[in-house]
Amino acid sequence: MSVFAADHEEVVFCHDPTSGLRAIIAIYSTALGPALGGTRFFPYEREEDALADVLNLAKSMAYKNAMAGLDHGGGKAVIWGDPGTDKTEALLRAYGRFVQSLGGRYITACDVGTYVEDMDIVARECRWVTGRSPEHGGCGDSSILTAWGVFQGMRATAEHLWGIPTLRGRRVGIAGIGKVGRHLLEHLRDDGASVLVADVSEQALAQARAIHPGVEVAEDTDALVGSDLDVYAPCALGAALDDWTVPRLRAKAVCGGANNQLAHAGIEKVLQDRGILYAPDYVVNSGGVIQVADEIEGFVFERAKAKATKIFDTTRRIFALAADEGVPPAVAADRLAERRMAEVGRLRTILLR
Ligand SMILES: NC(=O)c1ccc[n+]([C@@H]2O[C@H](COP(=O)([O-])OP(=O)(O)OC[C@H]3O[C@@H](n4cnc5c(N)ncnc54)[C@H](O)[C@@H]3O)[C@@H](O)[C@H]2O)c1
């Protein structure tokens, strides 16, 4: 999918040469409320790559927040640099001041390369931050409810395919056994599924083995994709479903936590033509944003979990609409998200005194 800056409400380039901060904040839409989305800290090769990523991610956040039923529009930020070497207090605080300068049009949180302790530092300069540590009144690690939501989406997928909302007796392949993948593995094991995992990091695999000594490990992601699976769960980076992977997939369904899984427009149709049921990524992985959005009200875990559990119903609704309208589930999800943004966003035209 090509996304152009012209589609977005606002794109801000932030530069603080002394701390080394180079960041881009993209606000796709505030139709439903302040734009909410995390900050990715990543060593992009070129500025164009950082820009393309943030534009895509901000748009996905608008659709994700709409489908999660939140009163938030979509935005995202990227910090261009290596989080291992470039992340300093001064850089994070400089970034916080740029977020603050937007006056609440954008609320930030964690993403790849940023952690709750980073948000605590950003919050020293900025009130528009969520996903802070529990010590600072925050909701902590959002991967807990992200994985819970993916599991709910997978239960709905199982119900649609096999008539019963459980993964018991099924074989699920998780590519990327990081924060989300590990929690998902636990839910699947508790539900009685057998799980095959793959990761490029030996450390991540060792952690998975430590938690679940019996877990089966594939040689690599390609081997996992070609394995005899019921469900494939991409839980690493984006574009997991591309022209190389989809023809090789042997799973009957795809449902995972990674953002922006569809490598390009049209790949959702290839999945459908191959008879593979795709649970739209931004729907099933919205548990994390539900968790951080709850922090804005004063975090109550059970309330946020109850909301994330509804991902089961939302996924069901998307599969039903897709069947009714004869479109892939990704298209059905987009239609529902756009409908909510238009119907609820329109209410702002009613003038208040
Ligand atoms: N953490 C959240 O709350 C959250 C919320 C929504 C979406 N997501 C998305 O879920 C995905 C995972 O997030 P996370 O928080 O678990 O990140 P993470 O960094 O903790 O884990 C990602 C894992 O993927 C592995 N990996 C990277 N490239 C790989 C490859 N080619 N093959 C196999 N493994 C690979 C990494 O080694 C790492 O272990 C990301 O796409 C993220 O944007 C996360």
Side-chain angles (χ1 to χ4, degrees):
M1 172 174 59
S2 298
V3 179
F4 302 102
D7 297 332
H8 293 59
E9 279 182 23
E10 189 171 0
V11 180
V12 182
F13 287 73
C14 317
H15 192 203
D16 178 49
T18 307
S19 65
L21 174 74
R22 284 180 301 179
I24 310 172
I25 301 170
I27 296 174
Y28 179 75
S29 162
T30 56
L32 294 176
L36 172 62
T39 303
R40 181 163 294 190
F41 204 135
F42 195 77
Y44 298 97
E45 268 184 33
R46 302 169 309 159
E47 189 177 68
E48 298 94 283
D49 301 333
L51 179 61
D53 206 24
V54 77
L55 294 177
N56 267 314
L57 290 164
K59 182 171 182 181
S60 305
M61 286 309 302
Y63 282 67
K64 183 187 300 201
N65 294 343
M67 282 313 294
L70 299 175
D71 292 336
H72 285 289
K76 200 90 178 184
V78 294
I79 298 178
W80 180 15
D82 182 340
T85 52
D86 299 333
K87 198 190 284 175
T88 61
E89 178 192 344
L91 181 145
L92 290 171
R93 292 181 76 149
Y95 171 64
R97 292 187 75 81
F98 280 104
V99 175
Q100 180 67 24
S101 76
L102 296 174
R105 280 174 52 72
Y106 168 64
I107 303 175
T108 199
C110 301
D111 190 62
V112 174
T114 55
Y115 301 89
V116 290
E117 50 276 19
D118 299 327
M119 291 306 124
D120 288 342
I121 295 174
V122 172
R124 287 161 73 181
E125 300 292 342
C126 174
R127 53 183 286 229
W128 309 109
V129 186
T130 181
R132 287 164 300 159
S133 66
E135 296 77 15
H136 288 271
C139 66
D141 178 6
S142 62
S143 63
I144 295 170
L145 287 187
T146 300
W148 177 248
V150 174
F151 177 57
Q152 297 310 318
M154 211 181 281
R155 289 180 56 241
T157 303
E159 184 189 65
H160 189 86
L161 285 177
W162 303 300
I164 176 164
T166 173
L167 280 303
R168 177 168 299 280
R170 303 286 165 196
R171 191 159 190 250
V172 180
I174 303 179
I177 196 79
K179 296 188 290 293
V180 174
R182 272 200 299 279
H183 290 302
L184 180 61
L185 168 61
E186 283 174 43
H187 297 312
L188 289 169
R189 298 280 293 237
D190 290 348
D191 197 31
S194 68
V195 182
L196 176 67
V197 301
D199 201 295
V200 290
S201 155
E202 271 310 317
Q203 197 191 350
L205 290 171
Q207 269 179 301
R209 282 195 189 97
I211 308 170
H212 299 288
V215 70
E216 207 186 333
V217 177
E219 197 180 320
D220 54 27
T221 302
D222 292 350
L224 181 132
V225 163
S227 299
D228 191 14
L229 300 173
D230 291 300
V231 184
Y232 172 48
C235 291
L237 294 180
L241 300 171
D242 58 16
D243 294 324
W244 194 91
T245 304
V246 172
R248 285 168 178 77
L249 255 183
R250 291 170 63 197
K252 287 121 198 125
V254 177
C255 177
N259 279 315
N260 294 353
Q261 290 170 29
L262 302 171
H264 60 77
I267 201 88
E268 72 285 352
K269 183 77 176 56
V270 183
L271 282 160
Q272 188 183 38
D273 291 347
R274 289 213 55 220
I276 299 170
L277 183 67
Y278 171 65
D281 48 9
Y282 66 75
V283 174
V284 300
N285 74 11
S286 62
V289 78
I290 288 171
Q291 182 169 335
V292 298
D294 196 86
E295 181 180 320
I296 297 165
E297 281 187 66
F299 186 55
V300 179
F301 181 77
E302 287 308 328
R303 178 178 63 203
K305 186 175 178 187
K307 221 181 248 183
T309 304
K310 291 194 180 140
I311 290 171
F312 177 82
D313 297 324
T314 308
T315 310
R316 259 179 158 182
R317 192 149 71 94
I318 287 162
F319 290 150
L321 181 71
D324 280 356
E325 299 195 353
V327 294
V331 174
D334 285 357
R335 285 182 183 172
L336 283 177
E338 284 161 8
R339 193 183 301 167
R340 180 160 184 259
M341 282 189 262
E343 286 177 358
V344 179
R346 184 199 63 80
L347 298 177
R348 297 189 177 207
T349 61
I350 300 172
L351 185 66
L352 300 179
R353 277 190 260 210

